[in-house]
Amino acid sequence: MDSQKDALQRIIATLANKNEELHNFIETLNHTLDRVQVNSTQVVSDLEEEFDTLYSILDEMKESMTSTIKQESLRKSHELQNQLTQSTSALESAEELLEFANNALHISDEAEFSKAAKQIKDRVTMAPAFRLTMKPKATDNMTHMMVDFSQERQTLQGLKFLPVPRAPEIMLIDCVVMDNEVTVSWKMPMEDSKIDHYILEYRKTNHEGLPRVKDEQCWEKLDNIRTTEHTLQGLRFDSKFMNFRVRACNKAAAGDYSDPVTLETRAFNFSFDSSSSHLNLKVEEQSVEWDPQAGKALDSKVKGKENKGSAHITNLKNMSSGTPSPKRTSVTRSPAPRGARDRFTGESYTVLGDTSIESGQHYWEVKPQKDCKSYSVGLAYRNLGKFDQLGKTCTSWCIHVNNWLQNSFAAKHNNKAKNLDVPVPDSIGVYCDFDRGQLAFYNAENKQLLHMFKMKFTQPVVPAFMVWCGGLILSTGLQVPSAVRSFQKTENGLGGSNSSLSQQDPTVACDTICFYEKLPSVDGGSLLP
């Protein structure tokens, strides 16, 4: 009976998966059908625009060439008209001289004849008719202004659709996901010298396998890529996967998309858990800031109950392992409403992450504000007491930065501390390998190891933070950096700065804690939380 039921459940699961595949395929077909109509209308519009442009170019060329012919005609007409005028004048002068010469033949007086003959000779020498070129300065031929359209006509008659570039092939084996960067590589199925550039599109998704038409994210486009490889940098991996597709473009058209590929971009994502935070902390999704006025709104709710609950409050203070707050007030802040998780209170200016770590390797970064007086970054079990301070219990591990009066930088666990003889970085990277029991802190910029705890986690842990007089900025969705992975492989188990506090000289730890406790106080409270 059980085996038949298991077999039926497997059949049901198979059918459900197939139904989902068919539903997705039908959506794809409907989407493609709609796009065919839209794209057809678009290419017709583009074609009309191209022909209109061609017509416009031909009209402009026709007008220009017609104007050139008219200018040539005017030039020739002007030159011939000038020659005609000069020739007509010369002819009139020659006819007059000819008539005078004929009349001179009939002069009988020898002296008069000699005088007339000399005049005729002088006038003939200066006659325009003998100085004119008897050749037209321009011909009536206009064939040099003719245009041979045979080649253009042949080109136009051979006009056809430009071959569309083939779809590229994304080389999955050459694609790399590392350090929150994704390198996508592709190739053409055959060489195409007319390809001008490529368009790469990507989107985030939580669905494995083929992309869905109705996905939660739209495609983002990267245009004008001149090579067959591209790297997307500075990504936040806040989804499990990313889809990629690419298309080739020539001067006129874009080809079909490649078959899409899905790359895994899994990373550790979490936010600050506002329900756990101390009332003096102003918490947003990726930032936390100390606000001494935040808890005063609840003063009126507890005023009048202080005397009634004074004995209980005194007992709670005695239970706390921490020192008094920097500016102690007589107001007792109420915990979170009944039914919610108890908020941190007292001198524990703490907030936890909203996501537990139960296995695997994880990494995130924290950047303090420049004027932050004191903060801690680390891990804790969820059962960390509401009055407990990070690093002062056996259920929390952290590194602590103090910039108040006397600077200090230390790793803390189980009320023991180890001073870290390295500069405090601008941003701290936190690495947790739950399965191997490692918690390491790095300079987020150069990945220098600051300190490493080694322990055996007995229950899930959560990121934990303390902040006083300042704020922290959280960066999640980060892969474990390759430099950190390499270090963990080669340096795992070494002593020194990466040794556990539980293995160090207890005298040093005790002296460090005692130093904190001996600091002077303001308004009856300690200078450090």
Side-chain angles (χ1 to χ4, degrees):
M1 179 67 178
D2 291 340
S3 60
Q4 292 179 342
K5 187 174 181 179
D6 292 341
L8 183 58
Q9 288 178 342
R10 287 194 296 269
I11 293 174
I12 292 173
T14 302
L15 290 175
N17 291 334
K18 181 57 66 176
N19 287 346
E20 185 178 2
E21 290 178 6
L22 287 172
H23 181 72
N24 189 33
F25 182 62
I26 290 172
E27 286 185 348
T28 302
L29 291 177
N30 287 327
H31 178 75
T32 304
L33 184 60
D34 293 339
R35 294 302 302 171
V36 166
Q37 302 302 321
V38 172
N39 291 338
S40 297
T41 303
Q42 182 63 47
V43 295
V44 169
S45 176
D46 292 343
L47 184 63
E48 291 177 348
E49 184 177 349
E50 290 293 339
F51 269 96
D52 288 342
T53 302
L54 185 59
Y55 297 150
S56 177
I57 293 174
L58 290 174
D59 288 339
E60 290 177 2
M61 293 185 65
K62 178 183 176 181
E63 183 178 350
S64 176
M65 297 177 80
T66 301
S67 176
T68 302
I69 293 173
K70 290 180 179 180
Q71 291 176 7
E72 178 70 2
S73 177
L74 288 173
R75 184 188 68 80
K76 286 191 172 189
S77 297
H78 181 69
E79 291 183 351
L80 291 172
Q81 187 64 46
N82 287 340
Q83 277 191 295
L84 181 60
T85 300
Q86 293 173 1
S87 297
T88 301
S89 176
L91 179 59
E92 292 176 354
S93 177
E95 288 178 344
E96 180 184 355
L97 184 59
L98 178 59
E99 182 180 358
F100 180 70
N102 286 332
N103 292 334
L105 291 176
H106 301 289
I107 298 175
S108 57
D109 188 334
E110 184 176 353
E112 289 291 333
F113 179 79
S114 297
K115 182 179 179 181
K118 186 177 182 305
Q119 289 179 348
I120 292 172
K121 182 180 179 181
D122 291 341
R123 289 180 63 182
V124 167
T125 303
M126 299 300 295
F130 294 97
R131 296 198 307 264
L132 288 177
T133 299
M134 296 301 176
K135 181 179 180 181
K137 290 185 177 180
T139 67
D140 61 351
N141 188 2
M142 295 292 289
T143 55
H144 64 290
M145 305 299 290
M146 297 296 292
V147 178
D148 181 11
F149 284 104
S150 59
Q151 184 175 354
E152 286 74 12
R153 188 179 295 109
Q154 183 178 1
T155 300
L156 290 173
Q157 290 173 345
L159 189 64
K160 57 184 179 180
F161 294 111
L162 185 70
V164 178
R166 294 192 176 188
E169 299 175 2
I170 296 181
M171 309 300 294
L172 192 58
I173 192 173
D174 295 327
C175 295
V176 179
V177 180
M178 181 182 296
D179 295 331
N180 285 82
E181 297 182 356
V182 178
T183 298
V184 184
S185 180
W186 61 88
K187 70 175 184 178
M188 295 299 296
M190 60 185 301
E191 186 176 353
D192 187 346
S193 60
K194 294 185 178 181
I195 291 178
D196 180 69
H197 65 279
Y198 298 92
I199 297 175
L200 176 65
E201 294 188 359
Y202 67 94
R203 67 179 179 184
K204 297 179 179 181
T205 180
N206 287 312
H207 301 295
E208 189 174 5
L210 295 177
R212 304 184 177 193
V213 174
K214 295 181 179 180
D215 211 330
E216 64 271 15
Q217 298 287 342
C218 297
W219 289 98
E220 297 188 52
K221 180 187 295 186
L222 294 172
D223 203 347
N224 203 33
I225 299 175
R226 301 291 176 173
T227 61
T228 57
E229 182 178 282
H230 187 77
T231 299
L232 287 79
Q233 299 177 325
L235 297 174
R236 181 172 183 250
F237 289 164
D238 51 1
S239 63
K240 296 180 181 178
F241 306 96
M242 289 182 69
N243 302 142
F244 294 89
R245 64 185 185 184
V246 64
R247 64 197 310 192
C249 305
N250 54 33
K251 292 293 185 180
D256 292 334
Y257 287 106
S258 65
D259 289 335
V261 300
T262 301
L263 301 180
E264 185 175 5
T265 56
R266 198 183 306 271
F268 185 46
N269 286 275
F270 69 93
S271 301
F272 290 115
D273 182 8
S274 59
S275 67
S276 72
S277 68
H278 193 286
L279 288 175
N280 282 122
L281 298 182
K282 180 181 178 182
V283 176
E284 297 182 1
E285 186 175 331
Q286 297 292 311
S287 67
V288 58
E289 188 171 358
W290 191 76
D291 182 3
Q293 305 298 322
K296 291 187 176 180
L298 297 176
D299 287 355
S300 59
K301 296 182 180 180
V302 298
K303 194 173 183 180
K305 298 181 181 180
E306 294 177 1
N307 294 333
K308 182 177 179 181
S310 59
H312 177 63
I313 294 173
T314 302
N315 290 335
L316 290 178
K317 289 183 178 180
N318 293 334
M319 291 169 59
S320 174
S321 60
T323 56
S325 61
K327 295 183 179 180
R328 177 177 297 181
T329 65
S330 61
V331 177
T332 302
R333 298 182 180 90
S334 298
R338 183 173 297 179
R341 185 198 186 282
D342 287 345
R343 288 180 180 270
F344 289 101
T345 189
E347 287 72 45
S348 180
Y349 300 106
T350 303
V351 60
L352 302 179
D354 62 359
T355 304
S356 298
I357 298 175
E358 300 180 6
S359 63
Q361 302 175 28
H362 308 278
Y363 180 84
W364 59 95
E365 293 179 355
V366 180
K367 185 178 181 65
Q369 295 178 349
K370 290 184 178 180
D371 58 348
C372 191
K373 294 293 187 293
S374 178
Y375 63 92
S376 298
V377 178
L379 285 180
Y381 292 146
R382 275 207 175 274
N383 61 5
L384 183 68
K386 58 190 293 185
F387 293 96
D388 291 340
Q389 299 179 29
L390 294 183
K392 293 190 176 182
T393 71
C394 62
T395 60
S396 62
W397 304 258
C398 72
I399 57 174
H400 175 77
V401 178
N402 173 45
N403 296 317
W404 177 249
L405 295 182
Q406 185 172 353
N407 295 341
S408 65
F409 188 26
K412 293 184 175 184
H413 170 61
N414 201 21
N415 209 24
K416 298 177 182 178
K418 179 179 181 180
N419 289 323
L420 304 180
D421 190 19
V422 292
V424 179
D426 294 334
S427 184
I428 296 174
V430 185
Y431 168 80
C432 173
D433 187 338
F434 185 90
D435 301 321
R436 300 179 68 175
Q438 293 181 348
L439 172 62
F441 300 91
Y442 291 85
N443 182 323
E445 298 298 325
N446 59 20
K447 302 303 181 288
Q448 174 193 6
L449 179 66
L450 304 174
H451 184 80
M452 180 186 292
F453 291 101
K454 297 191 68 176
M455 75 293 290
K456 182 178 182 181
F457 295 118
T458 59
Q459 56 182 285
V461 292
V462 290
F465 312 85
M466 184 284 294
V467 60
W468 172 64
C469 287
L472 302 175
I473 304 298
L474 179 64
S475 296
T476 65
L478 303 177
Q479 288 183 300
V480 178
S482 55
V484 173
R485 288 185 181 276
S486 298
F487 178 85
Q488 293 296 325
K489 289 181 180 179
T490 57
E491 302 294 332
N492 183 46
L494 292 182
S497 64
N498 62 337
S499 61
S500 172
L501 283 177
S502 61
Q503 299 174 353
Q504 69 176 25
D505 184 354
T507 305
V508 176
C510 182
D511 291 343
T512 305
I513 297 300
C514 291
F515 171 76
Y516 289 158
E517 293 173 346
K518 292 176 182 178
L519 282 174
S521 62
V522 177
D523 296 335
S526 70
L527 297 178
L528 284 177

